[in-house]
């Protein structure tokens, strides 16, 4: 079932320079379909339109032209935007911009209180969501005392407490160290296993290979779409867009160019070791 559907989506940014109004065409007729429970990564260089597209998926932005449907709801209709955001939660790059409570559990309770959830149910959801991101022991802590990775996990808990069916992650690991990135990806994979639809905007190719499908954005348009293997084995095309491929794919590509017989569809260290040791 198609739960995220974009058709011919256009979006422009307008700004003033030298006292003249200028326009940047951020999205140029984007078509996108994501199935219920699917894990899709969206890649692209800075300015490609991937984050602009992400903000359309829970109604933060409305298309200039075209249409976005989330669970069958048109995101351009003001009267149903609340339902769109209940269905689709969003995690941003900087966790400090998402946390407003002075105590972790208060921060998670904020959204639930605005929904009019009963206090007894709020407590259950706080504990459940913090447990899912392995932060339950920190519920009485001040967010300012937490690491960047821990703050991001609190942000995820805040969204999980709202019980969304889809979560859009807009470069959630960009400001984290490798340990923090690994923990966030573990959580994302657990959520996918529970049937939550995942949309991940990322610059890290090693994160994208975990997804079911990859969308590559370039200059406001969808340049490529396919499975991680289908995308990353097109090494020359990926590089021409300004992106990299996973390290192991790069090694396999260079070995093959040297005449060494090796599979083209290597994405992980485990696959590389297995191929070299056969």
């Amino acid at each position: 079932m198609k739960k995220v559907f974009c058709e011919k989506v256009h979006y422009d940014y307008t700004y003033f320079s030298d006292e003249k109004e200028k326009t940047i065409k951020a999205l140029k007729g984007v078509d996108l379909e994501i199935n219920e429970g699917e894990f899709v990564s969206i890649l692209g260089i800075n300015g490609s339109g991937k984050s602009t597209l992400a903000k359309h998926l829970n109604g933060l932005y409305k298309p200039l032209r075209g249409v976005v449907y989330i669970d069958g709801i048109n995101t351009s209709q003001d009267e149903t935007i609340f339902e769109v955001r209940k269905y689709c939660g969003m995690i941003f790059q900087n966790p400090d911009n998402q946390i407003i409570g002075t105590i972790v559990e208060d921060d998670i309770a904020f959204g639930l209180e605005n929904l009019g959830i009963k206090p007894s149910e709020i407590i259950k959801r706080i504990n459940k969501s913090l447990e899912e991101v392995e932060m339950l022991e920190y519920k009485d802590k001040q967010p300012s005392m937490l690491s960047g990775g821990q703050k991001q996990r609190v942000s995820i808990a805040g969204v999980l407490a709202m019980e969304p069916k889809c979560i859009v992650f807009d470069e959630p690991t960009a400001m984290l160290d490798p340990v923090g990135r690994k923990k966030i990806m573990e959580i994302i994979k657990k959520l996918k296993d529970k049937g939550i639809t995942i949309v991940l905007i990322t610059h890290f190719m090693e994160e994208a290979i975990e997804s079911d499908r990859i969308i590559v954005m370039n200059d406001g348009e969808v340049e490529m779409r396919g499975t991680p293997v289908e995308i990353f084995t097109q090494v020359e095309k990926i590089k021409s867009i300004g992106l990299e491929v996973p390290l192991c794919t790069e090694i396999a590509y260079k070995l093959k160019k040297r005449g060494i017989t090796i599979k083209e569809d290597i994405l992980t260290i485990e696959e590389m070791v297995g191929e070299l040791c056969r």
Side-chain angles (χ1 to χ4, degrees):
M1 183 181 297
K2 304 293 189 238
K3 288 298 183 177
V4 176
F5 179 79
C6 304
E7 184 177 32
K8 299 290 184 280
V9 174
H10 292 257
Y11 190 81
D12 297 348
Y13 291 106
T14 301
Y15 68 102
F16 286 88
S17 178
D18 298 326
E19 298 183 353
K20 293 182 180 179
E21 184 176 288
K22 297 184 179 180
T23 299
I24 296 175
K25 296 186 178 300
L27 298 179
K28 305 173 183 177
V30 172
D31 294 322
L32 178 67
E33 295 182 2
I34 298 176
N35 298 318
E36 184 176 7
E38 193 174 18
F39 177 5
V40 174
S41 290
I42 301 180
L43 306 179
I45 62 172
N46 290 335
S48 63
K50 59 187 186 300
S51 289
T52 300
L53 176 60
K55 291 180 174 67
H56 278 76
L57 302 186
N58 77 336
L60 285 176
Y61 291 173
K62 296 179 182 180
L64 180 66
R65 296 189 302 280
V67 64
V68 177
Y69 286 100
I70 303 297
D71 195 30
I73 304 171
N74 188 332
T75 63
S76 293
Q77 297 174 346
D78 292 336
E79 61 270 23
T80 54
I81 195 63
F82 180 70
E83 294 301 317
V84 169
R85 290 174 183 166
K86 278 182 64 178
Y87 182 88
C88 186
M90 193 159 185
I91 300 294
F92 297 95
Q93 180 181 124
N94 189 342
D96 287 322
N97 292 341
Q98 303 167 82
I99 295 176
I100 60 173
T102 55
I103 300 296
V104 166
E105 65 176 340
D106 290 346
D107 184 78
I108 297 171
F110 179 78
L112 300 175
E113 290 169 346
N114 282 306
L115 290 177
I117 305 296
K118 294 180 180 179
S120 59
E121 177 65 16
I122 288 177
I123 294 172
K124 290 179 182 178
R125 291 199 191 186
I126 289 172
N127 290 336
K128 180 182 178 183
S129 62
L130 284 173
E131 188 172 8
E132 286 191 270
V133 299
E134 301 177 18
M135 288 294 291
L136 184 57
E137 64 184 288
Y138 296 93
K139 75 174 185 175
D140 297 323
K141 302 293 185 182
Q142 297 178 19
S144 60
M145 302 301 291
L146 302 178
S147 69
Q150 290 171 329
K151 290 178 184 177
Q152 196 64 291
R153 284 150 64 187
V154 169
S155 298
I156 295 172
V159 170
L160 288 178
M162 312 282 280
E163 298 185 344
K165 302 299 182 185
C166 173
I167 302 178
V168 178
F169 293 85
D170 188 5
E171 301 190 43
T173 64
M175 301 183 68
L176 307 183
D177 61 25
V179 174
R181 290 204 302 268
K182 181 179 179 182
K183 179 59 69 175
I184 296 300
M185 286 306 300
E186 288 174 355
I187 291 170
I188 288 175
K189 287 186 284 185
K190 286 180 183 178
L191 296 178
K192 195 271 182 184
D193 290 341
K194 291 184 177 182
I196 295 177
T197 304
I198 302 293
V199 180
L200 174 65
I201 315 297
T202 183
H203 279 293
F204 297 105
M205 304 302 110
E206 286 71 18
E207 295 177 355
I209 64 176
E210 303 285 353
S211 56
D212 301 317
R213 201 157 50 91
I214 292 174
I215 306 294
V216 180
M217 298 286 296
N218 186 32
D219 194 26
E221 300 177 303
V222 174
E223 181 82 17
M224 303 169 69
R225 62 182 88 209
T227 65
V229 168
E230 290 170 342
I231 295 298
F232 288 130
T233 50
Q234 299 182 62
V235 177
E236 293 294 342
K237 186 169 184 178
I238 287 290
K239 287 180 174 292
S240 71
I241 296 172
L243 297 172
E244 298 297 327
V245 297
L247 177 60
C248 290
T249 306
E250 176 82 10
I251 293 172
Y253 171 73
K254 289 182 176 179
L255 288 174
K256 189 168 183 180
K257 285 190 72 174
R258 292 187 177 188
I260 299 173
T261 303
I262 192 167
K263 291 196 304 181
E264 295 182 351
D265 58 351
I266 293 174
L267 299 177
T268 67
I269 293 174
E270 291 77 15
E271 291 170 341
M272 175 60 73
V273 171
E275 179 69 8
L276 294 177
C277 294
R278 65 182 173 85

